[in-house]
Amino acid sequence: MDNQVKNWQVYPGKASFSCDGRIMSATDNIGMYMNLSLIVVVGGLFFIFDCPFLWQEVHPVIPLLTGLLWFYSIAFLIRCCWSDPGVIPRAEPAEIRNERRLAEDAGYKFEDNATSYAIHPPLTKDVVIRGQNFKLKYCFTC
């Protein structure tokens, strides 16, 4: 059994976690449940009342495509509401140190001397365009 503490277990936010940290959701999910119920109710009414006519009189492809889009909208809503938006760092400290070294070798400098490897400070790079100096903020991982 692995006794290592996971990043989501020490996350200081107010999010709730399920399935060993694979599902992350807000503490107030009323908006997600309202959206889900509206999508299910409106889609159900469409499939009960409109789809038989469309299937018989127009073409069977229209209800099939509508059902596929309806399924995708529900699946992506749940995926969006239950996924980590990137607030929990996934990289190991050695990986972050290597990434920072690569960024510094590429000519980027860190604006502050943060010692924490959990949060990346913004990177800057001085660029000259038509004789004007510009300071660009850049995320090395993106």
Side-chain angles (χ1 to χ4, degrees):
M1 190 101 175
D2 191 13
N3 291 333
Q4 184 179 7
V5 177
K6 309 276 183 170
N7 287 340
W8 65 270
Q9 292 172 330
V10 295
Y11 177 66
K14 294 181 180 178
S16 60
F17 294 93
S18 305
C19 296
D20 197 31
R22 289 178 181 83
I23 295 177
M24 175 183 182
S25 64
T27 54
D28 184 19
N29 287 326
I30 189 72
M32 192 262 306
Y33 293 126
M34 285 178 56
N35 283 327
L36 187 62
S37 63
L38 285 174
I39 291 171
V40 169
V41 167
V42 171
L45 291 173
F46 174 78
F47 290 124
I48 291 171
F49 295 111
D50 292 340
C51 277
F53 171 78
L54 292 173
W55 187 279
Q56 295 170 357
E57 301 296 327
V58 181
H59 200 276
V61 172
I62 294 174
L64 291 175
L65 288 177
T66 304
L68 184 68
L69 291 175
W70 182 73
F71 172 75
Y72 277 147
S73 66
I74 292 173
F76 288 133
L77 173 69
I78 291 172
R79 169 87 166 103
C80 179
C81 291
W82 287 350
S83 66
D84 172 24
V87 296
I88 301 175
R90 300 287 185 203
E92 298 294 323
E95 187 178 349
I96 295 173
R97 282 192 298 271
N98 184 43
E99 180 181 294
R100 186 174 183 154
R101 183 188 55 78
L102 289 173
E104 288 171 350
D105 290 347
Y108 296 96
K109 12 178 221 239
F110 291 93
E111 285 187 350
D112 60 350
N113 294 327
T115 57
S116 171
Y117 290 105
I119 300 172
H120 295 281
L123 302 170
T124 61
K125 183 174 185 176
D126 294 324
V127 179
V128 178
I129 300 175
R130 294 185 184 172
Q132 295 282 3
N133 287 329
F134 292 97
K135 184 179 274 194
L136 298 176
K137 288 191 177 183
Y138 180 78
C139 176
F140 188 73
T141 57
C142 297

